[in-house]
C-alpha cells in the first residue's frame, strides 16, 4: 500500500478536488484528505490520468485550501468488512461504526460496488410474503426477492407503512425470519429514531444492520451508502443463507446527491438536471435484489421514494418504476380521509405477484379476484367522478352499487389499523364480501365457478322487496 | 491488421483514452492487466478514445492495451439457439458454470461451445469443381429437433469448391469445405464464421410478399396487425405491459426463430423466460419453445456501453437465421435504454446534445436499426424475414419525447400502451385510439382467405363502435347517462362487450393467453352480432333496460376464457342461443304490440 501523501491539489470546488501530476492512480480508489485543521475526509477517484486526478470528496470541499491539503491514496477501492457480527450494528455511509462500539475485524472485505449478478444465475422469485396488509397481500403481493418501492410524498406515512411491513412480513404460517438491512440516506434524526424504536419494540434489533446518514450529514456519502448496505445484504443472503429485507429511505435524497456531483463534474443533464445515467445508476442499486439459483437466501428490497410535488412522472419515481418490480403508491386524498395505509390502488402494481399467488401459494381465486377488484374500483372511481357532476340521485342503481363499493373498499379493505394483521384468507374473503355489493353481471373478470363459490349478491333493491 | 500494443492514458468512467496510432474506429481492444473489452470510437492524433464494455474500476494510467485488429463481431454457427448471451455475445450460462453467480471482469469465453459435437450433412447438389456463391447453403446441421441449421458460405468467401465432406461428431471449428477464391487462395470453411455486427448482412433483394405475423393476441392480430418482415414499436409508461406484450409475441408468434433482446431491463424478466420457455410448447410445432429462442441480455445493472452493442448483436444473429431462409422475430426491450446508452457516450465525448441530451444522430441510428427488418430473397435463393419489435420507455410516459417520436416515424405498426387502461388492469393496455397499423389492407387478404371473408368489414365496424365511446363518455360526464338516447346507451354496452369480450386478454389466463385466428374472429363476430341484434330490437321498440338486463351479456364477455381454441363448436352453439334469445324477445314484443295497439 502506497502510504505517500501528496499536496498537489490544483483546485477544489463543489465537492471535487483536482490533483495535478500524481501518476498511476487507479479509478475508484479511496483517498483520505487531511485539511489544514488536521480533519480527515474520505474521497474517491472518479477520473484519472497522469496529468490530472479527480477526487470526489464525500464530506464536501467546504473550508479546504490548496496549500495545506494533503491527500493520501489508499490504493484500494471502497470496501466494507463483513462478518455475522454486522447484525445488530449501526454504520455510517461508508461502513464505519457509529454505534460507539469497536470496528469490525474481519478478513472478509468486499468492494461496495459488487458485481452484476449473471442473469442466467438468477432464480425467479415466487414465494408469497404475507405482510398482513390487505391492499398489499390481496392486490399487490410481495414475494421473496422482489424489489417493491413505496412512492410517497412529504407528510405521508411511508415510514409507518415500511415499519409495519418489517414487523409483519413472513411466509404464511411461519414466524418472521427476515434479517433487516436498513439504509437511511438524508433522513431526519427523528425518523431514524422511529425506525430504531420500531425494531427494538418488535424485538428484531439483533437482526438489523443499519447504515445511517442523517439529513445534516455529508450528502455525497449517500452515494456510497446504499452500495455498502447492499454489500452487507448480499453477504447475509448469499453467504449466510438468510432472507434479507432491505429498507432504503429515501432514494430521492440519494438521487439529489448524485445530481449535485454530476452537475459539479459538468455531466450533460437529461431531465430536470439529473444526469442521463441516473437510470443505470439506480439500476445498479435496485438490481441487487433477488434470488440466486441454488442458494437458499434472498434479498427483498423496499426502497422509499418521495415524489417531489407528488409528481409520479418526476425522474426519480419514474426511473425507479422502470427498474423495480412494481410500486406501492401512497395517496394524499386517502390520507386526508384518515385512511391508513393510504395506498393509491390504481397506480400500485406488483409485477411478481402473478407467480407468487394462486392454488399453490395462496388461493385459487386470488389472481381473478384481484383483477376484478381493480376493474371494479376503476369503474367505481369513474362513477364517483360522475356523481360529483350530476349528483348521486341521478345515478342508475348499478352505479349506486359501485359508489357504495368504492367507499367500503377504501375504508374496510385498504384501511386497517397499524397493528392489524390480516391473513391472506381473511383478505380474500373480505374482497369477496365487498364484491358482493356488486351484481354478478358486473363481474366479468371472475369465472362463473368463483361467483358460485364466493359471491353473495343480495339482489337489487327491487328484487329484495 | 494484427494485434498491437499500447497503453492507457486516461480513465473517465466507461471511456478510456489510449495512446496508439494506426488504430481504426470500431476496432476491438483489450485494456489493462484485466484485459477488459472495449471498442475504439474516436481518434485524436496519437490518441484513441475507447468505450468499454466492462466496468473500469481499478484501471490505471500506464496499463497495457492490445488492439485486436477487428471490429465487434459475432460468431455465427450451430449452438446459438436455446442460449443466453450478453450484449457482446458472451455465453452467460457457460459464464455462470465457470465463474459463479456474479459476472467477473476480463473473462473471455467463446460464444459457441468448442466442445460440442455436430453432424454435418453436405448439400447433395454440390459437386467438386463447382462455382459456389456467397451465402449458398454448404450443408445442414440439425441444431434442434425442428431447426435445420444451414451452414452458409460466408459472404465474400464464394469460389470454386475444392472439397466438401460429410462428417459427424465434429466441432464448430472443424473444416467441412475448402473453396478456391478468385485470388487463387484456398480458404477452409468450418461450421461457423464471424460477422461484424454493425454491418448489415447482404441479401439478394427485398421481397414484397406479405403474411401476417400471428401472435394470438386479439388486439394485435385483429386490430393492429403486423406482418412478417414488418417493424413495430410498443411504447408505454412503466408497468403498462410492454414486456408482457413482447413476451407473448416471443411465446406465440408463428415465427421459426425468436431473438429476445433484454436491453437495459430486469434480470428477473430473462430468468422468467429461461425458466418458463423450456416447459411451454410452440403451438405451431408442438416442440419446446426454448428450442427456437435465443436470448441476448444486457440487464440494467450491466455496463451501459455493452447495452448499445446488444441491439446490433441481436439483429446480426437475426439476419444470420434469415439468411438460412427462416422467419425471425426479434423483440428488443427496450430501445430507449439503447438510445440512452448512445446519449451517455455522446455526452462524455462532449458532443452537442440536441434534444433532451440526445445527440443529433439519434434519429438516423434508429432508422438504420429498423431498416434491418424486412422480408428478403436470400443469397441462397430462399425467402427469409426479420420482424423487429422494439419497446419504447418514454420518460414520464410522454410520447412526445425524442425516442418515441422518432420511432413513431419509422415503424408501420404502433401499439401505444395507456396508463389508464393498465391502471384498470385492462391488458393488453393497447390504446385503440392512439395505436395504428399500416398493414391492415395487406393482411385482409390472408384473413379473408383463411378465416372469414368479412374480416375487414367486421374489424372496421368494431373500431367504429369503440370510437364512439369517447364521445359518449364525454356526454355522460356532462349531463349524465339519462341524457343518452336508447341507441347511445346500447352503444355504450357495445363498447363494454368489445372491451371486455374481445380486447381484454390476460396473458396469465391459461385458456385465453393464446387465441387462434379462428377464435379471434368468432369472438369479434359474436359481439357484433349481439350489438346488431340489440339495435334491431331497439328500433322495434324494446326498451333498452330490457336489453341491458340480459344475462347473456356477461356470459358473452366471459366466452374468451370459457372456451379454448379447440371449442369453436361451443362458441357456435352460444351464438345460436343468442339468436334464439333475441328472437324470443322479438316475438314477445311483437305480441305485446299486437295486444295493445
Ligand atoms: N397482457 C397481460 N396480461 C396480464 N397481465 C399483464 C399483461 N400485460 C401486463 N400485465 C401486468 O402488468 C405488469 C407490468 O407489465 P410489464 O412488465 O410488461 O410492463 P412494462 O411496460 O414492460 O414496464 P417497464 O417499462 O417498467 O418494464 C405485469 O407484471 C403484469 O402483472
Ligand atoms: Mg418492461
Amino acid at each position: 500500500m502506497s502510504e505517500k501523501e501528496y499536496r498537489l491539489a490544483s483546485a477544489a470546488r463543489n465537492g471535487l478536488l483536482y490533483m495535478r501530476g500524481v501518476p498511476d492512480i487507479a479509478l475508484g480508489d479511496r483517498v483520505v484528505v487531511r485539511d489544514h485543521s488536521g480533519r480527515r475526509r474520505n474521497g474517491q477517484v472518479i477520473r484519472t490520468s497522469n496529468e490530472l486526478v479527480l477526487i470526489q470528496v464525500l464530506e464536501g470541499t467546504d473550508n479546504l485550501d490548496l496549500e495545506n491539503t494533503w491527500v493520501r491514496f489508499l490504493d484500494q477501492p471502497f470496501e466494507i468488512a463483513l462478518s455475522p457480527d454486522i447484525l445488530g450494528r449501526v454504520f455510517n455511509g461508508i461502513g464505519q461504526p457509529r454505534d460507539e462500539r469497536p470496528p469490525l475485524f474481519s478478513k472478509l472485505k468486499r468492494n461496495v460496488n459488487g458485481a452484476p449478478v449473471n442473469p442466467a444465475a438468477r432464480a425467479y422469485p415466487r414465494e408469497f410474503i404475507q405482510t398482513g396488509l390487505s391492499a398489499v397481500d390481496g392486490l399487490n403481493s410481495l414475494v421473496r426477492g422482489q424489489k417493491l418501492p413505496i412512492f410517497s410524498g412529504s407528510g405521508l406515512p411511508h415510514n409507518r407503512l415500511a415499519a409495519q411491513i418489517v414487523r409483519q412480513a413472513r411466509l404464511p404460517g411461519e414466524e418472521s425470519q427476515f434479517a433487516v438491512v436498513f439504509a437511511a440516506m438524508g433522513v431526519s434524526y427523528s425518523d431514524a429514531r422511529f425506525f430504531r424504536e420500531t425494531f427494538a419494540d418488535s424485538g428484531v434489533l439483533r437482526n438489523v444492520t443499519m447504515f445511517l446518514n442523517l439529513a445534516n450529514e455529508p450528502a455525497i456519502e449517500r452515494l456510497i451508502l446504499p452500495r455498502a448496505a447492499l454489500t452487507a445484504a448480499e453477504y447475509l443472503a448469499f453467504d449466510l443463507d438468510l432472507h434479507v429485507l432491505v429498507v432504503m429511505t429515501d432514494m430521492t435524497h440519494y438521487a439529489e446527491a448524485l445530481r449535485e456531483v454530476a452537475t459539479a463534474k459538468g455531466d450533460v443533464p437529461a431531465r430536470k438536471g439529473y444526469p442521463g445515467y441516473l437510470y443505470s445508476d439506480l439500476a445498479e442499486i435496485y438490481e441487487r435484489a433477488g434470488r440466486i439459483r441454488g442458494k437458499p437466501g434472498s434479498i427483498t428490497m423496499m426502497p422509499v421514494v418521495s415524489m417531489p410535488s407528488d409528481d409520479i412522472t418526476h425522474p426519480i419515481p419514474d426511473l425507479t418504476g422502470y427498474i423495480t418490480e412494481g410500486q406501492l403508491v401512497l395517496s394524499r386524498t386517502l390520507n386526508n380521509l384518515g385512511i391508513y395505509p393510504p395506498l393509491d390502488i390504481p397506480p400500485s402494481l406488483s409485477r411478481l405477484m402473478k407467480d407468487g399467488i394462486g392454488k399453490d401459494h395462496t388461493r385459487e381465486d386470488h389472481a381473478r379476484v384481484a383483477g376484478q377488484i381493480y376493474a371494479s374500483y376503476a369503474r367505481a372511481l369513474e362513477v364517483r367522478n360522475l356523481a360529483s357532476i350530476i349528483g348521486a340521485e341521478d345515478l342508475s342503481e348499478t352505479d349506486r352499487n359501485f359508489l357504495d363499493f368504492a367507499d367500503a373498499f377504501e375504508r374496510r379493505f385498504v384501511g386497517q389499523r397499524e397493528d392489524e394483521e390480516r391473513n391472506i384468507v381473511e383478505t380474500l374473503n373480505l374482497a369477496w364480501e365487498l364484491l358482493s355489493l356488486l351484481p354478478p353481471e358486473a363481474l366479468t373478470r371472475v369465472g362463473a365457478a368463483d361467483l358460485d363459490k364466493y359471491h353473495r349478491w343480495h339482489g337489487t333493491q327491487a328484487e329484495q322487496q | 491488421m494484427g494485434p498491437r500494443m499500447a497503453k492507457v492514458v486516461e480513465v473517465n468512467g466507461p471511456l478510456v483514452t489510449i495512446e496508439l496510432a494506426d488504430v481504426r474506429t470500431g476496432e476491438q481492444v483489450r485494456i489493462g492487466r484485466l484485459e477488459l473489452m472495449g471498442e475504439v470510437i474516436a481518434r485524436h492524433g496519437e490518441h484513441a478514445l475507447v468505450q468499454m464494455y466492462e466496468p473500469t474500476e481499478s484501471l490505471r494510467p500506464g496499463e497495457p492495451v492490445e488492439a485486436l485488429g477487428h471490429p465487434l463481431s459475432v460468431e455465427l454457427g450451430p449452438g446459438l439457439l436455446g442460449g443466453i448471451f450478453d450484449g457482446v455475445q458472451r455465453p452467460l450460462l457457460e459464464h455462470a458454470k465457470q465463474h459463479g453467480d456474479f459476472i467477473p471482469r476480463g473473462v473471455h469465453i467463446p460464444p459457441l461451445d468448442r466442445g460440442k459435437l455436430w453432424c454435418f450433412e453436405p448439400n447433395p447438389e454440390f459437386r467438386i469443381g463447382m462455382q459456389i456463391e456467397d451465402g449458398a447453403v454448404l450443408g445442414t446441421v440439425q441444431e434442434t429437433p425442428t431447426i435445420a441449421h444451414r451452414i452458409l458460405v460466408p459472404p465474400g468467401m464464394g469460389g470454386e469448391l475444392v472439397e466438401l465432406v460429410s462428417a459427424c461428431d465434429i466441432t464448430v471449428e472443424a473444416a467441412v469445405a475448402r473453396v478456391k477464391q478468385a485470388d487463387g487462395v484456398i480458404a477452409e470453411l468450418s461450421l461457423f464464421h464471424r460477422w461484424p455486427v454493425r454491418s448489415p448482412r447482404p441479401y439478394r433483394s427485398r421481397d414484397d410478399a406479405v403474411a401476417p405475423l400471428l401472435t394470438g393476441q386479439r388486439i394485435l392480430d385483429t386490430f393492429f396487425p403486423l406482418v412478417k418482415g414488418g417493424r413495430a414499436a410498443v411504447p408505454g409508461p412503466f408497468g403498462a405491459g410492454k414486456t408482457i406484450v413482447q413476451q407473448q409475441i416471443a411465446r406465440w408468434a408463428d415465427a421459426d426463430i425468436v431473438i429476445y433482446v433484454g436491453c437495459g431491463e430486469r434480470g428477473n424478466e430473462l430468468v422468467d423466460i429461461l425458466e418458463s420457455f423450456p416447459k411451454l410448447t410452440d403451438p405451431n410445432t408442438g416442440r419446446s419453445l426454448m428450442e427456437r429462442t435465443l436470448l441476448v441480455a444486457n440487464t440494467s445493472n450491466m455496463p451501459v456501453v455493452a447495452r448499445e452493442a446488444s441491439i446490433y448483436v441481436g439483429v446480426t444473429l437475426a439476419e444470420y437465421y434469415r439468411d438460412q431462409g427462416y422467419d425471425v422475430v426479434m423483440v428488443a426491450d427496450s430501445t430507449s435504454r439503447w438510445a440512452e446508452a448512445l446519449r451517455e457516450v455522446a455526452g462524455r465525448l462532449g458532443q452537442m446534445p440536441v434534444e433532451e441530451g440526445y445527440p443529433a444522430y439519434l434519429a438516423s441510428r434508429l432508422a438504420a436499426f429498423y431498416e434491418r427488418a424486412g422480408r428478403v430473397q436470400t443469397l441462397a435463393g430462399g425467402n427469409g424475414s426479420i420482424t423487429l419489435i422494439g419497446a419504447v420507455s418514454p420518460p414520464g410516459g410522454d410520447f412526445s419525447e425524442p425516442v418515441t417520436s422518432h420511432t413513431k416515424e419509422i415503424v408501420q405498426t404502433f401499439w401505444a400502451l395507456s396508463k389508464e387502461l393498465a391502471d384498470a388492469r385492462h391488458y393488453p393496455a393497447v390504446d385503440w385510439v392512439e395505436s395504428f397499423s399500416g398493414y391492415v389492407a395487406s393482411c385482409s387478404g390472408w384473413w379473408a382467405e383463411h378465416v372469414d371473408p368479412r374480416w375487414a368489414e367486421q374489424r372496421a365496424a368494431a373500431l367504429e363502435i369503440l370510437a364512439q365511446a369517447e364521445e359518449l363518455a364525454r356526454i355522460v360526464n356532462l349531463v349524465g347517462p339519462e341524457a343518452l338516447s336508447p341507441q347511445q346507451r346500447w352503444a355504450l354496452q357495445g363498447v363494454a362487450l368489445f372491451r371486455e369480450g374481445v380486447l381484454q386478454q390476460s396473458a396469465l389466463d391459461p385458456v385465453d393467453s393464446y387465441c387462434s385466428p379462428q377464435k379471434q374472429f368468432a369472438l369479434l363476430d359474436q359481439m357484433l352480432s349481439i350489438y346488431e341484434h340489440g339495435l334491431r330490437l331497439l328500433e322495434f321498440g324494446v326498451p333498452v333496460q330490457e336489453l341491458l338486463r340480459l344475462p347473456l351479456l356477461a356470459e358473452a364477455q366471459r366466452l374468451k376464457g370459457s372456451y379454448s381454441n379447440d371449442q369453436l363448436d361451443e362458441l357456435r352453439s352460444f351464438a345460436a342461443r343468442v339468436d334464439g334469445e333475441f328472437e324470443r324477445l322479438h316475438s314477445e314484443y311483437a305480441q305485446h304490440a299486437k295486444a295493445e295497439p
Side-chain angles (χ1 to χ4, degrees), chain B residues 75-79 111-118 141 151 169-176 189-193:
Chain B
E75 288 188 1
L76 302 170
L112 292 173
D113 186 345
R114 296 297 192 266
K116 191 155 182 180
L117 300 179
W118 302 98
V141 165
I151 306 297
D169 296 332
I170 56 168
T171 70
V172 286
E173 288 176 305
V176 292
L189 303 183
S190 65
L191 294 185
F192 83 105
H193 66 275

Side-chain angles (χ1 to χ4, degrees), chain A residues 85-341:
Chain A
D85 298 335
I86 59 173
L87 286 170
R89 298 292 307 263
V90 185
F91 301 99
N92 71 5
I94 56 171
Q96 297 163 334
R98 58 180 291 162
D99 53 4
E100 277 126 48
R101 287 165 56 192
L104 212 70
F105 284 105
S106 171
K107 280 218 189 62
L108 182 63
K109 291 203 171 71
R110 289 211 179 123
N111 186 326
V112 297
N113 286 333
V117 185
N118 183 334
R122 286 183 187 267
Y124 197 72
R126 11 181 134 248
E127 286 164 310
F128 174 80
I129 295 174
Q130 180 176 295
T131 66
L133 293 162
S134 293
V136 178
D137 297 350
L139 303 177
N140 295 290
S141 322
L142 177 66
V143 301
R144 256 185 192 163
Q146 181 169 15
K147 39 189 178 293
L148 188 66
I150 299 173
F151 286 4
S152 186
S154 55
L156 295 178
H158 44 265
N159 287 342
R160 283 158 60 201
L161 175 61
Q164 187 173 5
I165 292 176
V166 170
R167 281 196 309 272
Q168 299 184 169
R170 69 203 60 203
L171 294 208
E174 288 181 24
E175 277 305 299
S176 173
Q177 79 268 77
F178 279 104
V180 177
V181 171
F182 180 71
M185 293 151 275
V187 299
S188 68
Y189 176 74
S190 65
D191 283 350
R193 199 183 52 194
F194 165 79
F195 275 102
R196 209 190 141 75
E197 282 169 3
T198 308
F199 298 142
D201 290 349
S202 47
V204 296
L205 206 49
R206 276 180 300 114
N207 278 326
V208 181
T209 303
M210 292 208 224
F211 291 81
L212 285 186
N213 167 281
L214 299 180
N216 58 355
E217 291 173 347
I220 302 177
E221 195 179 286
R222 292 169 203 161
L223 297 182
I224 308 275
L225 188 142
R227 296 178 162 84
L230 284 159
T231 304
E234 280 171 354
Y235 168 75
L236 295 171
F238 304 128
D239 289 46
L240 303 189
D241 297 342
L242 297 174
H243 292 290
V244 184
L245 184 60
V246 181
V247 176
M248 302 198 291
T249 182
D250 178 332
M251 289 306 289
T252 300
H253 298 312
Y254 170 83
E256 283 164 352
L258 188 74
R259 175 171 67 177
E260 200 179 314
V261 172
T263 314
K265 282 194 294 179
D267 292 338
V268 179
R271 284 173 71 220
K272 299 216 164 144
Y274 290 90
Y277 53 80
L278 179 59
Y279 174 84
S280 301
D281 189 279
L282 288 173
E284 274 175 18
I285 294 172
Y286 295 140
E287 278 283 305
R288 288 172 84 169
R291 304 210 63 160
I292 285 180
R293 203 160 3 101
K295 296 252 166 102
S298 62
I299 298 179
T300 309
M301 193 188 284
M302 188 160 272
V304 172
V305 179
S306 56
M307 302 181 280
S309 344
D310 288 355
D311 177 10
I312 198 171
T313 68
H314 182 282
I316 302 169
D318 189 51
L319 295 178
T320 298
Y322 272 120
I323 302 163
T324 53
E325 287 144 345
Q327 64 279 336
L328 299 173
V329 183
L330 298 192
S331 147
R332 203 166 286 283
T333 316
L334 292 187
N335 191 53
N336 291 345
L337 289 172
I339 291 171
Y340 172 90

Side-chain angles (χ1 to χ4, degrees), chain A residues 24 27 47-48 75 111 113 115-116 118 126 277 279 287 295 318 322-325 348 374 443 445-446, chain B residues 10-11 57-60 92 101-103 239 264 266-268 275 307 337 344 394 396 425 500 558:
Chain A
D24 299 336
L27 190 78
R47 182 168 176 169
T48 171
D75 205 23
N111 186 326
N113 286 333
N118 183 334
R126 11 181 134 248
Y277 53 80
Y279 174 84
E287 278 283 305
K295 296 252 166 102
D318 189 51
Y322 272 120
I323 302 163
T324 53
E325 287 144 345
S348 294
Y374 260 94
L443 307 178
R445 297 284 171 90
V446 291
Chain B
E10 184 185 38
V11 189
E57 194 180 349
S58 80
L59 195 63
R60 307 168 192 269
L92 287 172
D101 305 325
F102 295 85
I103 302 181
R266 303 170 185 82
N268 278 336
E275 289 185 8
R307 190 171 303 163
R337 307 298 166 221
E344 171 81 26
R425 295 300 189 263
E500 287 295 313
R558 289 199 197 97

Side-chain angles (χ1 to χ4, degrees), chain B residues 243 265-266 269 333:
Chain B
T243 302
E265 294 291 309
R266 303 170 185 82
E269 292 172 347
D333 188 10

